[in-house]
Amino acid sequence: RTAQPVSGHNRRSTSSLKMLAILSTVALSVSAVQPAPGLMKLRGGMSLGPLNPGNFEGGMKVAAAITAAGAVTSKYADVGETQLTKLFSGDVWNTNLIISIVTGVTSTVVYSVGGSAFDAAKLTAVLWAVGLLSKLKNNDFDVGTLKDNPVETVVAAAAAYLAFA
């Protein structure tokens, strides 16, 4: 029996999952020194092992920067795709870019008007949830949509856990 060819969608999902794993590994390696467990309680953060809200947010910002750089260089500098920009292209990473821009602009506006403390992690988690719920709605709330978009589902769940748990 011969192997069935992998569709473009499944290949992109697999590549995106691999890139999410690599991005998580890089984010984890950046924080070589972990704070004491009691310190996490004082500042109210939760973590998934060594992955904490700061690492997650930093990794997602890097992914957004790569997505933006790939789009800008492709359109305006006539630079072709690279393996890195291919990995960070597509629906999930475009959504991440928009969410990063929205939270960045919101943080800046709230800070500039002297507003109260603003939690970008919570806004990020809510925006990921809204994006995923919108996909579910567009597919008549078929739960298979979550399985068809594993990277987006994992990112939305991790963002919510790290922001609200």
Side-chain angles (χ1 to χ4, degrees):
R1 192 167 138 169
T2 60
Q4 297 296 321
V6 179
S7 70
H9 173 71
N10 288 339
R11 235 176 302 166
R12 186 173 292 273
S13 282
T14 303
S15 294
S16 292
L17 281 172
K18 287 178 184 175
M19 184 52 15
L20 184 62
I22 291 168
L23 190 60
S24 296
T25 304
V26 169
L28 292 174
S29 66
V30 170
S31 62
V33 178
Q34 292 297 316
L39 185 60
M40 293 299 287
K41 287 183 181 177
L42 291 175
R43 61 175 213 188
M46 282 298 286
S47 61
L48 292 168
L51 181 63
N52 63 35
N55 295 343
F56 181 79
E57 182 183 355
M60 297 308 282
K61 284 180 181 179
V62 169
I66 294 169
T67 303
V72 169
T73 57
S74 173
K75 182 166 180 132
Y76 297 108
D78 199 28
V79 174
E81 282 188 322
T82 65
Q83 291 302 316
L84 187 59
T85 58
K86 282 181 190 177
L87 284 173
F88 285 107
S89 66
D91 186 48
V92 172
W93 303 114
N94 292 342
T95 299
N96 180 56
L97 175 60
I98 298 301
I99 289 171
S100 294
I101 291 170
V102 168
T103 55
V105 169
T106 305
S107 296
T108 302
V109 169
V110 169
Y111 177 77
S112 68
V113 296
S116 61
F118 171 75
D119 191 346
K122 288 183 179 176
L123 177 60
T124 299
V126 168
L127 291 174
W128 274 108
V130 166
L132 199 55
L133 286 172
S134 176
K135 262 192 187 162
L136 280 169
K137 179 183 167 260
N138 292 341
N139 291 310
D140 297 322
F141 293 98
D142 179 14
V143 180
T145 303
L146 300 176
K147 186 181 72 118
D148 294 340
N149 298 288
V151 175
E152 190 167 354
T153 303
V154 167
V155 170
Y161 179 80
L162 292 169
F164 294 107

